[in-house]
Amino acid sequence: MIRLLLTDLDGTITIDRGSYILDLNAIESLRRAEKSGIKVAIVSGNSYPVLRGLQNYLGFSGGIVAENGCLVFYQGVTIRTCEVVPRSLVSEFAKTFNLKESWQNEFRKSDFGYTPAIITDEMIEWANQRGLVISSSGYALHLSGKPGGKGVGVRKLLDIMNLNENQVAAVGDSKTDIDMFKYAAIKAAVSNADQDLIKSANVVLKLKSGNGITELVNMLLR
């Protein structure tokens, strides 16, 4: 029985990929899941303040996994799962590769966002030399402290909640969600997801982004 639904934010709960506008029908569907006994957790590369605010205002009870798995919150308990990245390296990375820092970087400690969201071999080499991890969500390029990846945070959240993967469903749209899929029995990709994620999914939804959320919730509640 599914007791927890893990959902990405950008491109998944929003009306489309590339949009920051929340899909209100998707929100209503996730609230229906909550009312039926399935907790909803937001798993995203966004910062802790953004996700904590959304969790409170949207009425979700399954906690959050912020900073691409580097920060977990559930029922008053906050746990950092990745190494803290020195601010000097955050700025050096932006200057070295002529990147724009995310406005959320001010609130981050382990995972930092930049645009454009394109990874180069030079960036990977730079990060490897400094013991850091590079990833891209399609929205932003992320520089993280080790171990990095959404799976680290999801695993910690499941430990706190005393759940196993057979009790978990996950839904997303980008390659960064592949790590999250490792800890879910139902691995759902919205129809407009990255091809790499679709290949890792065992459920490929017919509808895109927020509409796909409604499709998945209807499937779970049936």
Side-chain angles (χ1 to χ4, degrees):
M1 178 180 177
I2 298 300
R3 296 177 56 191
L4 176 67
L5 173 56
L6 306 168
T7 178
D8 174 50
L9 176 58
D10 298 317
T12 305
I13 304 180
T14 56
I15 60 174
D16 204 347
R17 300 192 76 189
S19 173
Y20 297 102
I21 300 173
L22 293 174
D23 186 309
L24 298 184
N25 289 327
I27 300 304
E28 177 58 32
S29 295
L30 293 170
R31 284 177 169 163
R32 284 196 290 116
E34 285 271 354
K35 290 178 182 178
S36 76
I38 300 174
K39 292 180 179 293
V40 175
I42 306 175
V43 182
S44 171
N46 280 279
S47 63
Y48 174 85
V50 169
L51 298 191
R52 278 285 280 122
L54 283 173
Q55 180 204 28
N56 284 343
Y57 284 102
L58 298 180
F60 302 159
S61 65
I64 63 170
V65 177
E67 293 190 30
N68 273 322
C70 289
L71 191 63
V72 178
F73 173 84
Y74 180 67
Q75 292 188 343
V77 177
T78 303
I79 299 173
R80 187 164 295 281
T81 62
C82 303
E83 296 174 357
V84 172
V85 179
R87 290 283 173 173
S88 59
L89 290 181
V90 175
S91 298
E92 181 184 338
F93 184 66
K95 292 178 182 177
T96 300
F97 298 103
N98 193 29
L99 301 170
K100 180 181 179 181
E101 288 198 42
S102 166
W103 66 270
Q104 295 186 45
N105 281 0
E106 179 181 353
F107 310 103
R108 301 171 184 266
K109 292 185 178 180
S110 298
D111 177 272
F112 297 85
Y114 307 84
T115 52
I118 301 170
I119 299 175
T120 66
D121 290 339
E122 291 77 14
M123 290 177 182
I124 295 172
E125 182 179 359
W126 186 96
N128 287 339
Q129 290 174 350
R130 292 159 179 79
L132 303 174
V133 180
I134 293 278
S135 64
S136 175
S137 65
Y139 278 77
L141 177 67
H142 288 268
L143 179 71
S144 307
K146 288 187 175 180
K150 290 184 177 181
V152 177
V154 168
R155 183 176 63 218
K156 178 59 68 175
L157 178 64
L158 297 190
D159 287 345
I160 296 171
M161 298 180 72
N162 194 29
L163 297 176
N164 61 61
E165 65 180 50
N166 293 324
Q167 298 168 301
V168 179
V171 57
D173 76 301
S174 80
K175 290 187 289 186
T176 58
D177 296 316
I178 293 174
D179 274 353
M180 175 172 68
F181 277 7
K182 296 175 184 177
Y183 300 95
I186 296 175
K187 315 168 199 291
V190 292
S191 67
N192 55 337
D194 287 338
Q195 286 302 309
D196 287 342
L197 186 72
I198 287 175
K199 291 176 183 177
S200 298
N202 55 22
V203 175
V204 179
L205 299 165
K206 296 178 181 179
L207 303 176
K208 69 178 185 179
S209 298
N211 288 332
I213 287 284
T214 297
E215 180 184 351
L216 175 63
V217 170
N218 289 340
M219 185 186 307
L220 293 176
L221 296 187
R222 282 199 298 270

